[in-house]
Each structure stands twice: as C-alpha cells, then as structure tokens.
C-alpha cells in the first residue's frame, strides 16, 4: 500500500534533533517490528531515517538543519512515539534530550524548526 504523493510533507529538524530521533527510534525498532500490523510503517520509517543518516555521513560540512519527507501516516506514527518518549525523558539539567524531542514533536506536528522558539 503506497501513499499518494500529496500526502508527503517535508519535516525539518536540527541535525542534533534528527540524530536523537534516529537513536531513539533505533532503540525501540525491534519491539515495534514485532507487531505485524505495524511492520510496514515501522520499516518505511526506518528506511527513511537510515537514508538521512547515510546522507549526513557523506557530507564533510554537516548541515545545521535536515529536511526529510514523511507521509502523513509516518508523521502521525512518529509523533505518537515521540510523545511517549518525551513523557519518559529527563527534564532539565545537562541532558538536552527532552528539548530535542520537543523540537521533533513540534516539527512532526507541522510547526517546523526555529532556533529561537520557546520549548514549553
């Protein structure tokens, strides 16, 4: 089942937020993949994230932001996952994971990235 092209939306994240999203997705990939009903979307998201990481690794000068395409279904799935991860992320202190996850949530909700946007 393929998504119509008009359902694909560009999502822009800072490079660091993108890499955090990839790392966290990788951490729960095996568990998500076990659900046969989710297998296709889980795999399609993994392929897209892996392609983004491979593209980053090939670049000498790392970009500040990364824009990648997601279908509405992929964005919804990732947004739900990020909400769950954000609920368990450490708040404040030296760990900026919650801040980057909040950036992911904003971008996946259609907000885009802004370097001076408040993360509340």
């Amino acid at each position: 089942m393929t998504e119509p092209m008009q359902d694909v939306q560009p999502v822009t994240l800072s490079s660091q937020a993108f890499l955090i999203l990839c790392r966290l997705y990788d951490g729960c990939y095996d568990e998500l993949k076990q659900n046969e009903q989710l297998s296709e979307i889980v795999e399609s998201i993994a392929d897209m994230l892996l392609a983004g990481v491979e593209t980053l690794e090939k670049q000498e000068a790392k970009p500040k932001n990364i824009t990648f395409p997601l279908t509405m279904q992929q964005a919804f799935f990732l947004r739900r996952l990020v909400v769950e991860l954000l609920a368990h992320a450490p708040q404040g202190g030296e760990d900026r994971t919650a801040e980057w996850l909040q950036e992911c949530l904003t971008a996946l909700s259609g907000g885009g990235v802004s370097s001076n946007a408040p993360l509340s």
Side-chain angles (χ1 to χ4, degrees):
M1 178 174 128
T2 58
E3 296 284 327
M5 288 304 288
Q6 67 267 24
D7 286 344
V8 175
Q9 300 291 326
V11 175
T12 301
L13 292 173
S14 68
S15 296
Q16 189 61 44
F18 177 77
L19 292 173
I20 292 292
L21 179 64
C22 291
R23 184 181 307 147
L24 294 173
Y25 192 79
D26 183 53
C28 57
Y29 172 81
D30 290 335
E31 183 180 335
L32 293 170
K33 187 82 167 130
Q34 290 176 6
N35 184 333
E36 289 182 29
Q37 294 173 323
L38 299 177
S39 183
E40 186 176 328
I41 190 160
V42 167
E43 196 63 40
S44 70
I45 293 169
D47 289 344
M48 185 280 311
L49 292 175
L50 183 59
V53 169
E54 289 173 348
T55 300
L56 267 179
E57 287 177 346
K58 292 176 187 174
Q59 297 178 2
E60 280 187 42
K62 304 301 182 215
K64 186 175 180 178
N65 294 322
I66 298 169
T67 300
F68 54 97
L70 286 179
T71 64
M72 292 176 78
Q73 185 181 18
Q74 290 171 324
F76 178 80
F77 186 85
L78 272 177
R79 189 169 48 246
R80 296 269 320 253
L81 185 62
V82 168
V83 167
E84 285 184 39
L85 294 170
L86 194 53
H88 302 295
Q91 301 292 322
E94 295 295 312
D95 190 351
R96 293 186 56 199
T97 302
E99 186 177 327
W100 288 316
L101 284 174
Q102 185 63 50
E103 178 186 329
C104 291
L105 184 60
T106 300
L108 291 168
S109 299
V113 66
S114 173
S115 59
N116 59 1
L119 297 172
S120 55

